[in-house]
Amino acid sequence: MINKEVQPQSRNYTVPLITITLLFFMWGFITCMNDILIPYLKQLFNLTFFESMLVQFCFFGAYFIGSLIYFMISITKGDPINKLGYKKGILFGIFLAAFGCVLFYPAATFSYYPLFLGALFILGLGFTVLQITANAYVSLLGSEDSASSRLNMTQAFNAFGTTIAPVLGGHLIFEFFSSPDGSFSAVATRIPYLIFAGILLLVALLISRVKLPSFQTGGEEEIVKGWGALEFSHLKFGVFAMFCYVGGEVAVGSFIISFLEQPQIMGFNEIISKNYLSLYWGGAMIGRFLGAISLNQSLSQEKKALYMLGAAGAVFLVIFSIVNLSFSQVSFFLAFIVLNFIAFFVGKSAPARTLSIFAAINVILLISAMVNHGELAMYSILGIGIFNSIMFSNIYTLAISGLGKYTSQGSSLVVMAILGGAIVPIFQGYLADQFGVQHSFIIPVFCYLIILIFGAYCTKYLGHVENTENKSGH
């Protein structure tokens, strides 16, 4: 299937990485727009929490359907990406996502909720193809030992998109394209999503012009069929962990605006809450930049500390300049950055161990958000983002580590697990309707407990993928 030996290890992959990173930024931006759509469509169509979570159900449900189709093709006909190539797969995913964005125009014109859900499903299918192709592609652009570091870096720019989306996207929908009288109207979503479609097509044009290295063997004898990927126990556990991670992250992000609207929390409206939502996703951006440095085994501990400090400061200033909040309102984030530093060094740059530590911190923060009120509850829920940071890339690389010829097949299974983003918010929405928003966060608590256990499992049974200090010193 995939034969990296056809490419020299010394080859410079800087240009391909920059190009793919631009794509990560754009799809992070559009994905996070769902968190703006949920409260907007909830008020527009007078929906319950459960009904409004159908936004995430359709979007992330598409990941499951698309990945299932891909997996079934791979076990019967052979890996499609091996036949088509990563570049064609990435371009197809972009075109499909752009088409989903265009479908928002008729949905908004007719102001019909099911049409919005249909557009989100198509958009999700496009991003499914990108998840299968682009994530695996980044992991192949260099050595396996540095795969987590590279994926954390590209995911950091994905998080940059999610950080900007609540502020810019929220301004476009809640203010710039809203009705003059301030009332909610579906037409406010038409122009923004047409703009997103246009930008995606420009990115596709750029990628089509850039020479990307090929990792396909082209040999028919290398085409992998059957269920071989499922023989790896760490892959199966990794699929479940990814289900929980995406479900937990999406559920928390989806409810932040509603959470901050609660009178016992802060009583904010949507225009104010969207800025705090940016802090949640901005935390993920900080953590991913730090993770990319921490997991880079070519750096000494002293250089790691210095670079991480510089990156944290720079990214914090970027976030501060984006959100419409005062320094006093965002200064609490400095404490989470310090805690993030400590967690990285306690984890000793080992992907699995660091994953467990971050998951444990998020369990504590969620419990704090459930039992406290006011600013303490708000800070607790917003702090989860910075510790979500390395989870996708670490779970992904741990799950597909050592799969060899089954890498793309395993990748499709891991991406299939993004179904968690469809299922978990639905369950939390049901609990929010029954018991209130604050108590509904018990669902993500269980999600992060599973991730904690997966990290511990990989620490014990996948020692060969742990980048320990002893190994880096040889």
Side-chain angles (χ1 to χ4, degrees):
M1 190 197 70
I2 297 172
N3 183 8
K4 287 193 64 179
E5 294 180 356
V6 301
Q7 297 293 336
Q9 288 298 318
S10 60
R11 179 166 181 171
N12 191 324
Y13 294 124
T14 302
V15 173
L17 269 175
I18 291 174
T19 306
I20 299 302
T21 297
L22 177 61
L23 175 61
F24 272 72
F25 165 80
M26 198 59 215
W27 104 49
F29 184 100
I30 297 176
T31 298
C32 190
M33 283 298 299
N34 289 357
D35 294 341
I36 297 297
L37 284 175
I38 287 170
Y40 188 83
L41 296 177
K42 184 177 184 294
Q43 292 201 37
L44 178 64
F45 295 109
N46 194 25
L47 306 172
T48 64
F49 282 112
F50 179 85
E51 291 169 338
S52 66
M53 287 302 134
L54 290 176
V55 167
Q56 303 292 30
F57 181 79
C58 290
F59 181 81
F60 288 100
Y63 279 80
F64 176 76
I65 299 298
S67 299
L68 180 61
I69 293 172
Y70 185 95
F71 181 74
M72 296 307 296
I73 293 174
S74 71
I75 65 174
T76 56
K77 304 293 184 181
D79 191 345
I81 296 302
N82 183 59
K83 296 179 179 180
L84 297 174
Y86 281 89
K87 185 172 184 176
K88 290 181 180 178
I90 290 170
L91 289 174
F92 176 73
I94 294 175
F95 287 133
L96 194 56
F99 179 61
C101 289
V102 171
L103 290 179
F104 271 77
Y105 194 91
T109 300
F110 294 104
S111 190
Y112 188 49
Y113 189 47
L115 285 180
F116 279 103
L117 298 180
L120 286 161
F121 182 80
I122 299 298
L123 182 58
L125 284 178
F127 287 164
T128 302
V129 178
L130 293 177
Q131 288 281 11
I132 294 172
T133 54
N135 282 308
Y137 190 72
V138 169
S139 71
L140 295 171
L141 290 174
S143 68
E144 183 174 330
D145 286 343
S146 61
S148 285
S149 176
R150 286 193 306 279
L151 201 51
N152 266 300
M153 181 59 71
T154 53
Q155 288 287 334
F157 284 94
N158 180 274
F160 184 39
T162 62
T163 303
I164 293 176
V167 176
L168 179 57
H171 175 71
L172 291 175
I173 291 178
F174 285 124
E175 300 173 69
F176 193 80
F177 288 108
S178 64
S179 299
D181 60 359
S183 62
F184 284 82
S185 172
V187 297
T189 62
R190 289 193 305 195
I191 302 303
Y193 275 86
L194 285 180
I195 294 173
F196 301 155
I199 296 175
L200 282 173
L201 293 176
L202 287 176
V203 173
L205 178 62
L206 175 63
I207 290 176
S208 69
R209 298 296 179 91
V210 173
K211 183 175 177 58
L212 299 180
S214 173
F215 293 110
Q216 57 186 127
T217 63
E220 187 66 27
E221 73 280 3
E222 294 291 335
I223 294 177
V224 178
K225 300 180 182 180
W227 301 78
L230 291 176
E231 296 176 1
F232 297 87
S233 59
H234 69 282
L235 171 66
K236 289 183 284 189
F237 200 166
V239 169
F240 186 39
M242 185 63 79
F243 177 95
C244 293
Y245 160 67
V246 178
E249 181 186 52
V250 171
V252 173
S254 299
F255 276 92
I256 281 180
I257 291 180
S258 297
F259 181 72
L260 298 182
E261 287 177 343
Q262 302 300 304
Q264 76 275 20
I265 306 300
M266 299 302 295
F268 292 153
N269 60 29
E270 292 89 350
I271 295 176
I272 297 175
S273 296
K274 66 179 175 59
N275 293 301
Y276 285 95
L277 177 60
S278 280
L279 291 181
Y280 172 75
W281 293 111
M285 177 170 62
I286 293 175
R288 284 168 184 166
F289 276 114
L290 298 185
I293 298 169
S294 174
L295 298 173
N296 188 333
Q297 299 306 308
S298 65
L299 299 175
S300 66
Q301 287 296 97
E302 293 76 15
K303 285 187 176 180
K304 283 182 181 180
L306 182 61
Y307 291 165
M308 289 172 72
L309 183 62
V315 177
F316 178 80
L317 290 176
V318 169
I319 295 173
F320 178 64
S321 66
I322 291 172
V323 298
N324 186 25
L325 298 171
S326 67
F327 181 79
S328 62
Q329 291 173 306
V330 301
S331 58
F332 74 92
F333 233 65
L334 295 174
F336 285 116
I337 292 175
V338 172
L339 182 59
N340 198 251
F341 262 84
I342 295 171
F344 269 120
F345 283 102
V346 171
K348 297 181 179 180
S349 301
R353 188 181 300 116
T354 306
L355 180 66
S356 286
I357 293 171
F358 279 33
I361 293 174
N362 274 355
V363 169
I364 295 171
L365 290 175
L366 279 165
I367 293 174
S368 174
M370 291 174 60
V371 301
N372 292 301
H373 299 118
E375 290 187 342
L376 182 56
M378 178 181 72
Y379 295 157
S380 297
I381 210 71
L382 297 179
I384 291 170
I386 196 169
F387 297 100
N388 277 337
S389 55
I390 51 86
M391 289 189 181
F392 182 94
S393 54
N394 284 21
I395 293 172
Y396 183 88
T397 51
L398 287 168
I400 68 172
S401 175
L403 296 190
K405 62 184 180 180
Y406 297 108
T407 298
S408 284
Q409 189 181 97
S411 176
S412 69
L413 287 172
V414 177
V415 174
M416 194 184 303
I418 293 177
L419 175 68
I423 302 300
V424 175
I426 285 286
F427 277 100
Q428 186 169 347
Y430 175 79
L431 286 187
D433 286 326
Q434 301 300 316
F435 305 106
V437 172
Q438 192 168 11
H439 294 103
S440 70
F441 284 100
I442 189 63
I443 297 291
V445 168
F446 287 110
C447 291
Y448 288 107
L449 284 173
I450 296 298
I451 297 168
L452 190 161
I453 296 170
F454 173 69
Y457 173 86
C458 289
T459 300
K460 183 175 181 180
Y461 293 105
L462 289 180
H464 65 283
V465 300
E466 292 290 327
N467 298 312
T468 61
E469 292 302 309
N470 290 334
K471 180 178 178 180
S472 63
H474 288 165

